[in-house]
Amino acid sequence: MSNKLHIVSLGCTKNLVDTEVMMGKLQNFELTDNQSEADVIIVNTCGFIDAAKQESINTVLNLHDARKEDSVLVMAGCLSERYKVELAKDMPEVDIFTGVGDYDKIDELLVEKKSRFSEAVYLIDGAERVVTGSTYHAYIKLSEGCNQTCSFCAIPSFKGKLNSRNLDSIAKEVEGLVAKGYWDFSFVSQDSSSFLRDQNVKDGLSLLIQRIELIEGVKSARILYLYPSTTTISLLKNIAKSEIFHNYFDMPIQHINNDMLRIMKRGFGKKDTLELLEYMKSLPNSFLRTSFIVGHPAETKEMFDEMCEFAATFGFDRINVFAYSDEETTSAHEMSEKIPAKTINKRAEILGSIALEAMQKSLKNEISKEVQIVIDGESEEHEYLLSAKELIWAPEIDGEIYVNDRTSDKELEFGKIYKAKITDMLGNILTATVDNA
Ligand code: SF4
């Protein structure tokens, strides 16, 4: 009788890759969605900001309440790493604590039934992982850690300095996944445009593009988490030239006011940011995603209004809005000009509405267009609708398309690229007719 494993991955796509590495090590377990029958429960936590930390703790406590007597509860990941001392004291519910250094040793930890926090931050390099969530798409990690010093961010304090994978390791992983039928890849890290800069290579991403383009079977790819000060026009030109990499530009800018960008220690001002964004927008079929933080210490109403005006008018396709979270170990935490929580929430609400309008405008612009889509499966909405996404979009975060018609009776295949006409918009979801004649 095989042991049953219930595993939860919280936080970002980088964390998801680490969760998949753990699943790769535990393939002798049977996966279960039912936490009350699981022999082992693992939560890969997120420790980025308050909301994420609270979600991680609640998830662990809820699973503890639901679990069976003799099961083992493991708390892994960023929150566990960041607060290893406090959690060991405050969460007796947890049997095994581990951080961000032992994902590939999870099987040993379960045998030893002991907590472990290895010094080095784990970086995937050839480990077999169980890709989740898709039959054709996989996230590929470029590096761990970060050398930037953004005022509000605690990630470098528990993920350490930038540590890039080498190109061979990445190419080998992609080749291995292509052999398993995957053909669409999203390259992720904390700061992707700094890829290989820790190895004194200035244009690491351009080298990555060249290398991935040589791999037969890779049909589609995008890079997430570009950082303004290490993103160059020559990189953008190389992305635009690529047959494989989409003009998909995910660059969190966090603010647009010049003084606030300086206070946030972003190392990049308004003028240079605009130059990059304008160039991105000028490229054919470009898709722009960004993030803003509201309520950073010293943010005046004028600075906030400037950011709102910019977000509303620049033409972003997708905007993430974060309320400032006062994270210890960060330089912003030491600042005195804190913004009251009520004001932060009000600003997040205002910018959140602007972000929604920007997304709706971007979606509306797609109506009547012929685009490439991928069908992911049956939609949860209705049995006669199939769920799809535009090929350029990243999975899960950029939206869904309902396929409600096709040009022939031929069956539609899941995980396949089709030409389609965007016909309408229902709420925030597009509808499409697939051309499969
Ligand atoms: S780029 Fe800035 S926000 Fe992102 S992980 Fe690095 S320090 Fe944090």
Side-chain angles (χ1 to χ4, degrees):
M1 203 263 312
S2 69
N3 274 333
K4 294 198 168 155
L5 169 67
H6 179 76
I7 191 161
V8 178
S9 193
L10 300 174
C12 64
T13 50
K14 286 90 65 177
N15 227 25
L16 179 63
V17 172
D18 295 328
T19 300
E20 293 174 349
V21 167
M22 289 195 280
M23 293 167 73
K25 291 298 254 184
L26 301 175
Q27 293 189 62
N28 53 322
F29 280 75
E30 183 193 331
L31 285 175
T32 175
D33 288 335
N34 180 350
Q35 53 260 42
S36 63
E37 69 172 16
D39 302 287
V40 171
I41 297 175
I42 300 175
V43 182
N44 196 12
T45 61
C46 175
F48 181 37
I49 54 175
D50 276 347
K53 294 188 268 186
Q54 202 49 59
E55 182 196 16
S56 293
I57 289 169
N58 293 347
T59 303
V60 170
L61 294 177
N62 291 341
L63 287 169
H64 170 67
D65 293 343
R67 70 174 171 149
K68 69 178 183 182
E69 190 90 5
D70 56 354
S71 62
V72 176
L73 178 57
V74 181
M75 191 170 185
C78 300
L79 183 74
S80 187
E81 180 74 44
R82 192 174 172 192
Y83 300 102
K84 54 172 79 74
V85 178
E86 299 87 339
L87 292 169
K89 205 163 28 75
D90 301 341
M91 290 190 79
E93 296 86 352
V94 174
D95 303 304
I96 297 175
F97 288 98
T98 181
V100 298
D102 302 287
Y103 294 116
D104 61 336
K105 299 192 188 62
I106 186 69
D107 50 340
E108 296 171 20
L109 272 66
L110 289 174
V111 171
E112 296 162 10
K113 287 205 173 30
K114 269 201 317 208
S115 296
R116 186 194 296 183
F117 290 90
S118 293
E119 201 56 37
V121 175
Y122 173 76
L123 179 58
I124 184 171
D125 181 17
E128 198 190 340
R129 52 192 269 222
V130 175
V131 175
T132 58
S134 176
T135 57
Y136 64 88
H137 171 271
Y139 293 101
I140 304 292
K141 216 184 236 195
L142 294 172
S143 61
E144 254 310 347
C146 184
N147 288 355
Q148 308 295 350
T149 56
C150 306
S151 60
F152 49 82
C153 182
I155 292 176
S157 72
F158 54 87
K159 280 283 178 113
K161 285 287 181 193
L162 176 67
N163 177 21
S164 298
R165 290 174 78 180
N166 64 48
L167 274 174
D168 292 341
S169 165
I170 295 171
K172 204 156 160 254
E173 184 182 15
V174 171
E175 283 157 2
L177 289 168
V178 166
K180 290 182 182 165
Y182 295 89
W183 50 262
D184 183 27
F185 299 95
S186 297
F187 293 87
V188 297
S189 72
Q190 310 298 350
D191 168 8
S192 298
S193 41
S194 293
F195 175 56
L196 292 181
R197 287 193 177 216
D198 53 316
Q199 298 172 21
N200 300 319
V201 176
K202 203 155 178 300
D203 52 0
L205 284 183
S206 294
L207 296 177
L208 174 84
I209 292 169
Q210 285 166 19
R211 186 64 183 275
I212 298 301
E213 286 183 331
L214 297 174
I215 303 175
E216 214 175 314
V218 178
K219 298 179 189 160
S220 162
R222 62 199 65 71
I223 298 164
L224 281 72
Y225 306 100
L226 296 175
Y227 191 87
S229 66
T230 51
T231 297
T232 59
I233 296 289
S234 81
L235 167 64
L236 300 180
K237 284 184 177 156
N238 289 330
I239 293 174
K241 264 191 296 182
S242 173
E243 299 284 317
I244 302 276
F245 284 78
H246 299 284
N247 288 347
Y248 184 98
F249 302 111
D250 170 41
M251 188 169 73
I253 62 173
Q254 312 302 11
H255 216 289
I256 197 61
N257 172 270
N258 212 37
D259 293 334
M260 183 43 73
L261 287 170
R262 186 178 37 73
I263 292 167
M264 284 179 161
K265 299 185 177 175
R266 296 286 288 170
F268 211 60
K270 178 173 182 172
K271 182 172 159 297
D272 297 327
T273 304
L274 285 177
E275 191 201 328
L276 275 180
L277 289 170
E278 290 293 355
Y279 187 79
M280 290 171 176
K281 207 165 70 174
S282 73
L283 294 168
N285 302 322
S286 63
F287 185 95
L288 272 65
R289 164 176 275 282
T290 196
S291 301
F292 290 110
I293 293 177
V294 300
H296 187 282
E299 184 188 58
T300 63
K301 172 121 184 18
E302 292 68 31
M303 291 171 172
F304 174 66
D305 291 346
E306 181 185 347
M307 177 162 66
C308 287
E309 168 66 19
F310 177 67
T313 57
F314 184 77
F316 291 106
D317 295 285
R318 304 289 184 278
I319 298 173
N320 258 347
V321 177
F322 290 97
Y324 172 75
S325 180
D326 200 30
E327 297 300 320
E328 69 279 0
T329 74
T330 66
S331 57
H333 184 70
E334 306 311 316
M335 292 175 65
S336 57
E337 310 101 304
K338 298 278 169 64
I339 311 290
K342 207 160 156 258
T343 308
I344 295 179
N345 296 337
K346 187 69 198 149
R347 289 180 182 175
E349 204 185 304
I350 294 168
L351 193 55
S353 316
I354 292 172
L356 179 61
E357 280 162 28
M359 178 187 75
Q360 290 168 335
K361 194 168 168 211
S362 163
L363 287 171
K364 269 201 196 99
N365 287 342
E366 296 302 285
I367 297 175
S368 304
K369 272 192 190 167
E370 299 263 344
V371 297
Q372 288 189 301
I373 68 167
V374 194
I375 299 176
D376 287 305
E378 271 146 26
S379 97
E380 282 161 16
E381 187 60 28
H382 194 282
E383 60 177 325
Y384 294 134
L385 295 174
L386 295 178
S387 174
K389 73 172 187 72
E390 285 201 26
L391 182 61
I392 186 172
W393 292 355
E396 288 164 33
I397 58 172
D398 291 326
E400 183 181 7
I401 297 172
Y402 287 155
V403 172
N404 57 5
D405 203 354
R406 55 193 166 180
T407 56
S408 90
D409 291 339
K410 273 189 277 176
E411 278 303 305
L412 294 173
E413 291 172 51
F414 299 164
K416 191 176 167 198
I417 302 172
Y418 286 97
K419 251 190 333 180
K421 179 155 188 183
I422 304 296
T423 50
D424 201 350
M425 187 165 154
L426 302 175
N428 295 328
I429 296 189
L430 298 175
T431 62
T433 297
V434 165
D435 174 2
N436 68 330

